Amino acid sequence: MSGYHHGDLRRALLTAAVTAIEKSGPAALSLRDLARRAGVSHAAPTHHFHDKAGLLTVLAADGFDRLADQLTAARTGSFLDLGVAYVRFAVANRAHFAVMFRPDLYHAGDPEVIAARERAGRALYDGAADRAGVDPEQAREEGLAGWSIAHGFATLWLNGALPDQGDDPDAAARAILRHLRPDGP
Amino acid sequence: MSGYHHGDLRRALLTAAVTAIEKSGPAALSLRDLARRAGVSHAAPTHHFHDKAGLLTVLAADGFDRLADQLTAARTGSFLDLGVAYVRFAVANRAHFAVMFRPDLYHAGDPEVIAARERAGRALYDGAADRAGVDPEQAREEGLAGWSIAHGFATLWLNGALPDQGDDPDAAARAILRHLRPDGP
DNA sequence: TGTACATCAGTGAACGCGCGTTCACTGATGTAC
DNA sequence: TGTACATCAGTGAACGCGCGTTCACTGATGTAC
């Protein structure tokens, strides 16, 4: 704390953004509010992110990166594990997850975002393709089916929409994702 | 058109809201903008919906009602048809769908919303339970799995997140939803 | 058929608010010599 | 070890904007007698 210079404002703003988004969603985010939370003048954020979309762009890229990491790590397990890893990521990184799929809110054309998103996509598809010596079209469909059910479950969970929703998303996800057909139709 | 009295302002505002939400999402909705589109003074909407959340509440209730109708109609078909009906609803009623699962945006405790949501929930669960002489817990899980994959697919489709996404959500949904296991694990 | 009156729907001015962005600035830090 | 200077990070005042909401109002419509 130098008094004038914050020291790590960029990181502090990102952390504050995550907290704010977890509470009120990405649409309600305000740069002035983040500056307030970081104890800094309201014009300071501009210095690090240029504008609001710039900040969300960083969050989105960061989210896709983390997702790619977790999916890649889960590749050693079963196809089911891959889906569970997806849900776990979403629940553990609600703010990032909420931003990632709202490309209208950030600079979706940003090279870093594109790269991170492709990395995550590859981790998911490779994970799906791995698990059978199957036809590519078949693998594609199964990948999409797995993505859909994991994404849907995570979304419903985060919305609190599920009836009798407990507090163990991992176990709940596993029970539901099991119902994906593990082999061809 | 009486000049002073609009005649059907309530309906006009709802229609304008749907258009606006389809374009920019529910968070960006503004009552003043709706009034402008309806060619009416900016204070007029208050008269019909009390406040912004009030308008979204009507939209949410209406959405759950329509969904319930469509799911009920699909009960005569297979479990797969139920899921396809869900996706079809989401794509055909993007604005309603976007609001329904954002209870922070409307008066989620409103009796009409609650009733409509329960009606939709029942249609979905009954549809799932129908299709087997199975164990209730089994039926519950299959219902959730079906809901998850349909919801996830619809969400990804609406976000334009799917690779090589065509323009026939019905067929695409059918191909993916097929991968849900039709019988016990 | 006419008149009085209540009710309803929409007006328009005003309020206070928080926001994003721009701008010339200043304090702090690091580097070259 | 000291000094000059460039660079970087943060300041604070100012701008213009669109918003939701309140309010006393007025025009239009329907109903009772």
Side-chain angles (χ1 to χ4, degrees):
Chain A
M1 286 298 154
S2 58
Y4 197 94
H5 282 128
H6 181 283
D8 199 8
L9 183 55
R10 188 189 149 92
R11 180 145 251 96
L13 290 170
L14 288 172
T15 305
V18 167
T19 306
I21 292 170
E22 281 173 355
K23 200 178 158 224
S24 318
L29 194 72
S30 122
L31 288 184
R32 284 175 107 108
D33 179 53
L34 297 185
R36 238 174 272 130
R37 288 174 194 249
V40 113
S41 101
H42 67 259
T46 301
H47 238 275
H48 293 273
F49 301 104
H50 185 63
D51 59 15
K52 193 172 160 179
L55 186 145
L56 292 175
T57 303
V58 173
L59 236 43
D62 191 19
F64 280 115
D65 262 331
R66 294 187 198 192
L67 176 59
D69 289 347
Q70 297 207 203
L71 291 182
T72 302
R75 274 190 61 181
T76 56
S78 68
F79 190 45
L80 177 58
D81 290 329
L82 198 67
V84 174
Y86 189 98
V87 173
R88 190 184 304 133
F89 164 81
V91 173
N93 302 271
R94 294 164 49 203
H96 293 84
F97 191 72
V99 174
M100 288 156 66
F101 295 96
R102 302 281 302 274
D104 48 310
L105 297 179
Y106 59 88
H107 302 307
D110 177 90
E112 305 225 3
V113 175
I114 292 177
R117 188 173 48 221
E118 279 175 0
R119 209 158 77 78
R122 245 177 287 122
L124 191 122
Y125 273 94
D126 290 356
D130 266 8
R131 50 157 295 286
V134 290
D135 172 52
E137 171 57 16
Q138 173 75 3
R140 191 192 79 94
E141 277 193 8
E142 288 184 10
L144 279 183
W147 187 14
S148 291
I149 195 170
H151 191 85
F153 185 84
T155 304
L156 292 171
W157 180 278
L158 290 174
N159 284 337
L162 297 171
D164 314 318
Q165 174 174 327
D167 58 357
D168 186 353
D170 236 79
R174 200 167 287 276
I176 299 308
L177 267 45
R178 256 166 67 229
H179 291 265
L180 238 209
R181 190 186 277 185
D183 40 20
Chain B
M1 287 297 154
S2 56
Y4 198 93
H5 283 128
H6 181 283
D8 199 8
L9 182 55
R10 187 189 149 92
R11 180 145 250 95
L13 289 170
L14 288 172
T15 305
V18 167
T19 307
I21 292 171
E22 280 173 356
K23 201 179 158 223
S24 317
L29 194 72
S30 121
L31 289 183
R32 283 176 108 109
D33 179 52
L34 298 185
R36 238 173 273 130
R37 288 172 193 249
V40 113
S41 99
H42 66 258
T46 301
H47 237 274
H48 293 273
F49 301 104
H50 185 62
D51 58 16
K52 194 173 160 180
L55 186 145
L56 292 175
T57 303
V58 173
L59 236 42
D62 191 19
F64 280 115
D65 263 330
R66 294 187 197 190
L67 176 59
D69 289 347
Q70 295 207 204
L71 292 182
T72 303
R75 274 189 61 180
T76 56
S78 67
F79 190 44
L80 177 58
D81 289 330
L82 198 66
V84 174
Y86 189 97
V87 174
R88 190 183 305 132
F89 164 81
V91 173
N93 303 271
R94 292 164 49 201
H96 293 84
F97 191 72
V99 174
M100 289 157 65
F101 295 96
R102 302 282 302 274
D104 49 310
L105 297 179
Y106 58 89
H107 302 308
D110 178 271
E112 305 225 5
V113 175
I114 292 177
R117 188 173 45 221
E118 281 176 358
R119 209 159 77 78
R122 244 177 288 123
L124 191 121
Y125 274 94
D126 291 357
D130 266 7
R131 52 157 293 287
V134 290
D135 173 52
E137 171 57 15
Q138 174 74 5
R140 191 191 80 93
E141 276 191 8
E142 288 184 10
L144 280 183
W147 188 13
S148 292
I149 196 169
H151 191 84
F153 184 84
T155 304
L156 292 172
W157 181 278
L158 291 174
N159 283 337
L162 297 171
D164 313 318
Q165 174 175 326
D167 58 357
D168 186 352
D170 238 78
R174 199 168 287 275
I176 299 308
L177 268 44
R178 256 166 67 228
H179 291 265
L180 238 207
R181 190 186 276 186
D183 39 22

